[in-house]
Amino acid sequence: MTDDYSQLELVGVAREIRERVGDLKLAHANEAETRLKVVDDVIKQLLGWTLADIHPEERISEDGKARYIDYVLRTANTAIVIEAKRAGASFDLQGVVDRRVQLTPGFVKGDVGDAIIQARDYGRSKSIPFAVVTNGSQWIIFPASRSDQIEFNRSSAIVFDSADVALGTELGYFVSLLSRDGVVDGFLERELLGRTEDQLQERRLRTQVHRDSARPANPIFHLIENEVIDCFSDTIAGRGKDFLELCYVPTPDRTKFDGRIKMHLRRHDALFGEHVVRPLRERESKVFIKAIEDAAKHGRPLALLVLGSVGAGKTTYLSYTRQVVTDDFFASRKDREYPHWIYVDLRAVSGGERPIEAIYAAIFEYIKNDDFFSSWDRAIRSAYKDEIDSLRRGPLSLIASSDEEFKRRLSDVVMADYNNVKPYVDKLIKYASSKQPIFLVIDNVDQFESEDFQGKVFADAISFASRFSVNLVLAMREGTFVRHRNHPSFDAFDFDPLSIEAPEITAVLSRRFMVLHRALKNKAGHFTAENGARFEVDDLSVFAELIQQSVLGTEIGTRIEVLANKDVRLALRMTREFLERGYTEPGKAISLHKLKQKYVLPRHEAFRAILLGNQNVYSEAFSVIGNPFDSRLSRSSSQMLRMFVLAGLVRFGSDATAEFIDGSSLRDVCRKLGYGDASVTKVIQDLCRLRFAQTASHEEPKFSSSFFATRLGGYVVRELIADFTFLEAMLMDTFISHDGLWETLKALTAQIANEKDTVRRIGLRIERIRKFWKNLSDQYFLLLSEALRRGLPAEWCTNPFTELEHAFEANCSKVISSAQRIYG
């Protein structure tokens, strides 16, 4: 169905064209007249194809002869050949009773067979997947060029044997098949092929590489492994006051423009109308502490939301607040009651467990180990006072005079509650909260993505806090809050928000290297260097210094910060991985250090280690960074859609006055190019999942969202797509659709594996990456050409490959020059 017509108007247009077909038959109209008065109007008015989509009289050269296709309907995503014959041309379809007919020799014969073969050959010569032959009245639709190895004669055609059928009784089905909207949404492919995918083989180079050849590890890593894992752990919660003080980093004001990629760095929309406290900034660092103190003074329960992105440091902030800043406030005392901080980490919860059970389990564990709660005289007796008095007056009054018997029976009552957990916890918390503030801190609310589970967390936590006048602190991602902000539990509780912004990655790494240096101080060991020499190291903290020199203030440090995209946990993971696999010459580094010379780890070694992680070859599924060159839609014409959308977002971010791109605008742009909503939805979801883009409001990406490119997305488009190491990694997990290129890349990969000479091997790698780059550039150019023909806005009409071609060639030259200098 086209957007321009209602169903009623569509039927009217079809009726007019149908009448014209009858008139043309009677008049024995020629082919040109049939096209002008019937086929043109079917294509434009009935099927909704635009002028930019329609290519009439497209030229084909065969055997030195020029021939012309009547129509090619083309989008960036697919194409259809239409071969029009004169009205009344003999399409002998007698005996065809089914709508779907197999293209056997028995059907493909005579005039209709000649027309089908002609259209099929046109389609094959242009790599066009579908073809239509028509005489204005009858319409035959079939696959012209298949990628699934199914022979033409085993394919089926869809046949409309008259204008009364195609433009009358079966109009809805006819329009669904051939309308622009229907084709964009994949209806034609599903009907003719049973699928929309055409990448049916596993043509990624990682399948051609021997995975049993392990990447060499850093020869010194086994000596420092425990310290590295300890000092660069994802979380420092529960590590002790001294460790927290050494590692904790506040958040400075962030840069708003990155001059290297010439892109303005956007923020999410504010979640709250009023000012949101950012306690990691110095001027607001005492807000949480003051709120805790006020809760103790005024008796008004505190309700706080601690919000932050993945890896921003919410858990670290809570641990630092408790163990460092408020340690004295919550300190255990013998002389009087004291406040309590009860921490519940939902990471320990199993999928089938109800949140309230985890909350009770954590509180019960705290009660068992706390000096106040575990004491009969200080807490338990008072918590059970009303029950003791009631038992003494009532059920146990007959034995009340026997102190020993009464205590024994009372002990049974308390022990029964203790074993059942909940009644015991309820009584002690109710009593303790009447004496001193209790802070119930629930972290990792979004440990499970299930909205039902998260909703239960809110309901259970708020219900518990309300019943016992307990102060409640909930820590979660902003997106989790956005999904649940209208939850009834939030309406019933007055929460104050705290926004945790990730600290600068380089500052975090600097602190961790300092801690690593202390941990390795005076530790000795030996290792076998890359050349077989044995190295004795008296003080392994020297290596911590060398690593720090290679990271902080260097390109490696910048890459880690960019790739982490404000995710501290991810930055720490990348650092651990490059320390294990990226630093391959510690012997050389230590030798130069002894000579008072500086050795900096080669950037490409560290970058490759970061990209590969614990894999021998790059795979998007296991890497910290996604592949912008493969949209994972299993369709060759859609392969660069991820890159195209990202490039548009980055270009949009170059405009200081622009804020965000609406999802509806993204959809409209892609639909003009010929991509359906399902494909575009998958692409924008992947861009956000891979941290190349974000939604403005923290919500899950959809067409009603607004989007902006992240700093990482900007670096991918403006820098990394010309980087040799990045390209070589992406090459391994990018689908290669072109047959000739696939065979060439496979052959080069085998040559590289067998080549012993380092310089020649690197030369082959450069040859391989140049072919890959050209293929990427060519694929992108096809999308760009369609964007230009359709007059899309300027941000969609730039070619990042053209812009970075000089940088790419310079990078390749640098790689070969370096190889010749070192190994030649």
Side-chain angles (χ1 to χ4, degrees), residues 711-772:
R711 189 182 185 201
L712 171 58
Y715 266 79
V716 167
V717 172
R718 295 279 170 81
E719 183 170 307
L720 292 184
I721 65 170
D723 182 273
F724 180 85
T725 305
F726 181 78
L727 285 164
E728 193 169 53
M730 298 304 114
L731 165 64
M732 291 296 159
D733 200 21
T734 298
F735 188 91
I736 306 299
S737 58
H738 190 279
D739 294 342
L741 179 64
W742 172 243
E743 295 302 325
T744 299
L745 293 178
K746 280 201 303 181
L748 281 169
T749 300
Q751 283 182 264
I752 290 165
N754 295 324
E755 179 58 63
K756 303 302 181 185
D757 182 84
T758 301
V759 175
R760 284 201 293 270
R761 186 166 64 250
I762 290 175
L764 289 170
R765 287 166 59 190
I766 289 173
E767 181 183 351
R768 182 177 64 175
I769 218 65
R770 280 186 168 131
K771 292 183 182 301
F772 179 56

Side-chain angles (χ1 to χ4, degrees), residues 8-266:
L8 192 61
E9 290 172 320
L10 201 69
V11 170
V13 171
R15 185 188 305 113
E16 289 179 15
I17 298 174
R18 196 164 69 240
E19 291 170 355
R20 248 179 276 154
V21 171
D23 294 340
L24 290 173
K25 278 185 181 180
L26 293 173
H28 300 288
N30 60 28
E31 192 173 299
E33 195 173 0
T34 302
R35 287 172 52 189
L36 177 65
K37 296 183 178 180
V38 176
V39 182
D40 278 9
D41 284 351
V42 168
I43 291 172
K44 296 173 187 174
Q45 296 185 40
L46 203 61
L47 301 178
W49 291 89
T50 68
L51 290 176
D53 302 322
I54 303 169
H55 301 254
E57 299 291 337
E58 195 161 299
R59 189 174 188 270
I60 296 178
S61 295
E62 293 178 334
D63 301 324
K65 298 178 181 179
R67 306 181 73 183
Y68 297 89
I69 306 173
D70 290 338
Y71 302 91
V72 175
L73 308 182
R74 181 181 284 116
T75 70
N77 198 32
T78 193
I80 303 171
V81 166
I82 297 182
E83 186 61 22
K85 301 302 180 183
R86 64 178 179 81
S90 177
F91 277 12
D92 183 7
L93 300 178
Q94 289 185 2
V96 175
V97 295
D98 295 326
R99 175 75 59 242
R100 194 177 295 271
V101 180
Q102 190 171 342
L103 293 165
T104 61
F107 175 72
V108 184
K109 63 182 181 179
D111 290 341
V112 69
D114 292 343
I116 289 172
I117 295 300
Q118 182 184 9
R120 181 202 67 180
D121 291 347
Y122 286 165
R124 287 180 176 179
S125 68
K126 291 282 190 176
S127 297
I128 293 173
F130 303 109
V132 176
V133 295
T134 181
N135 56 13
S137 175
Q138 298 161 311
W139 296 75
I140 304 171
I141 308 161
F142 56 92
S145 175
R146 301 191 66 150
S147 60
D148 54 7
Q149 311 306 311
I150 293 179
E151 296 174 3
F152 178 74
N153 288 340
R154 292 176 57 205
S155 300
S156 293
I158 297 174
V159 176
F160 297 89
D161 60 3
S162 70
D164 289 338
V165 174
L167 307 181
T169 57
E170 295 288 335
L171 176 63
Y173 184 52
F174 179 77
V175 170
S176 296
L177 278 173
L178 289 181
S179 70
R180 189 183 198 277
D181 286 349
V183 172
V184 164
D185 289 331
F187 189 77
L188 178 62
E189 289 161 302
R190 286 191 292 272
E191 287 293 289
L192 283 181
L193 307 179
R195 52 176 170 73
T196 59
E197 300 82 7
D198 60 12
Q199 295 180 345
L200 305 178
Q201 300 170 293
E202 185 51 56
R203 288 168 65 160
R204 291 183 167 86
L205 277 181
R206 59 182 168 80
T207 63
Q208 306 296 310
V209 177
H210 295 295
R211 299 193 179 192
D212 53 355
S213 56
R215 288 173 27 238
N218 176 358
I220 206 173
F221 188 71
H222 70 283
L223 298 175
I224 64 173
E225 182 175 5
N226 291 335
E227 287 80 6
V228 167
I229 292 173
D230 190 47
C231 295
F232 288 87
S233 60
D234 291 348
T235 177
I236 55 177
R239 295 293 304 280
K241 184 175 181 177
D242 291 344
F243 193 88
L244 279 163
E245 285 188 290
L246 286 172
C247 294
Y248 186 74
V249 178
T251 302
D253 288 332
R254 292 197 170 275
T255 303
K256 296 181 180 179
F257 181 79
D258 189 322
R260 185 162 171 175
I261 57 175
K262 297 179 176 59
M263 196 179 91
H264 296 268
L265 305 181
R266 310 296 184 195

Side-chain angles (χ1 to χ4, degrees), residues 318-371:
L318 291 172
S319 297
Y320 182 78
T321 299
R322 168 61 187 87
Q323 293 177 246
V324 178
V325 181
T326 61
D327 192 35
D328 290 339
F329 182 82
F330 289 104
S332 174
R333 301 180 185 277
K334 298 292 185 184
D335 55 330
R336 58 181 173 82
E337 294 93 346
Y338 49 88
H340 299 273
W341 175 288
I342 304 176
Y343 180 74
V344 182
D345 188 349
L346 292 182
R347 283 179 297 183
V349 178
S350 64
E353 189 176 358
R354 186 177 170 103
I356 194 64
E357 295 170 359
I359 292 170
Y360 268 101
I363 296 174
F364 185 56
E365 197 63 29
Y366 180 89
I367 284 173
K368 289 191 296 181
N369 294 286
D370 180 71
D371 290 342

Side-chain angles (χ1 to χ4, degrees), residues 805-817:
E805 188 167 7
H806 178 75
F808 167 70
E809 287 298 335
N811 203 317
C812 290
S813 298
K814 184 177 179 181
V815 169
I816 193 65
S817 297

Side-chain angles (χ1 to χ4, degrees), residues 2 4 77 94 141 204 227 424 489 511 614 631 680 823:
T2 65
D4 296 331
N77 198 32
Q94 289 185 2
I141 308 161
R204 291 183 167 86
E227 287 80 6
Y424 187 75
S489 300
R511 294 288 186 98
N614 59 6
S631 298
V680 181
Y823 304 106

Side-chain angles (χ1 to χ4, degrees), residues 613-792:
N614 59 6
Q615 304 293 302
N616 290 330
V617 294
Y618 172 81
S619 170
E620 180 175 276
F622 299 102
S623 180
V624 297
I625 187 169
N627 183 356
F629 308 134
D630 195 325
S631 298
R632 292 299 198 274
L633 294 168
S634 299
R635 187 177 175 86
S636 296
S637 57
S638 305
Q639 183 151 338
M640 291 296 281
L641 187 57
R642 189 186 278 185
M643 183 68 194
F644 180 80
V645 173
L646 177 58
L649 288 170
V650 170
R651 179 65 186 268
F652 198 79
S654 301
D655 184 353
T657 63
E659 284 297 322
F660 310 110
I661 293 183
D662 292 335
S664 57
S665 298
L666 286 177
R667 178 189 58 198
D668 292 345
V669 162
C670 293
R671 203 159 185 91
K672 285 179 181 178
L673 291 174
Y675 295 102
D677 291 356
S679 296
V680 181
T681 297
K682 173 72 162 51
V683 164
I684 60 177
Q685 287 174 343
D686 284 349
L687 289 175
C688 291
R689 175 179 56 83
L690 298 170
R691 300 169 294 112
F692 292 163
Q694 291 180 338
T695 59
S697 58
H698 305 272
E699 64 187 345
E700 292 298 313
K702 46 186 180 288
F703 291 134
S704 59
S705 308
S706 295
F707 297 87
F708 63 96
T710 63
R711 189 182 185 201
L712 171 58
Y715 266 79
V716 167
V717 172
R718 295 279 170 81
E719 183 170 307
L720 292 184
I721 65 170
D723 182 273
F724 180 85
T725 305
F726 181 78
L727 285 164
E728 193 169 53
M730 298 304 114
L731 165 64
M732 291 296 159
D733 200 21
T734 298
F735 188 91
I736 306 299
S737 58
H738 190 279
D739 294 342
L741 179 64
W742 172 243
E743 295 302 325
T744 299
L745 293 178
K746 280 201 303 181
L748 281 169
T749 300
Q751 283 182 264
I752 290 165
N754 295 324
E755 179 58 63
K756 303 302 181 185
D757 182 84
T758 301
V759 175
R760 284 201 293 270
R761 186 166 64 250
I762 290 175
L764 289 170
R765 287 166 59 190
I766 289 173
E767 181 183 351
R768 182 177 64 175
I769 218 65
R770 280 186 168 131
K771 292 183 182 301
F772 179 56
W773 166 276
K774 184 179 185 306
N775 179 58
L776 295 175
S777 182
D778 289 347
Q779 284 184 292
Y780 197 91
F781 180 75
L782 293 176
L783 265 176
L784 178 63
S785 299
E786 294 294 331
L788 290 167
R789 282 198 330 106
R790 285 164 170 77
L792 295 185

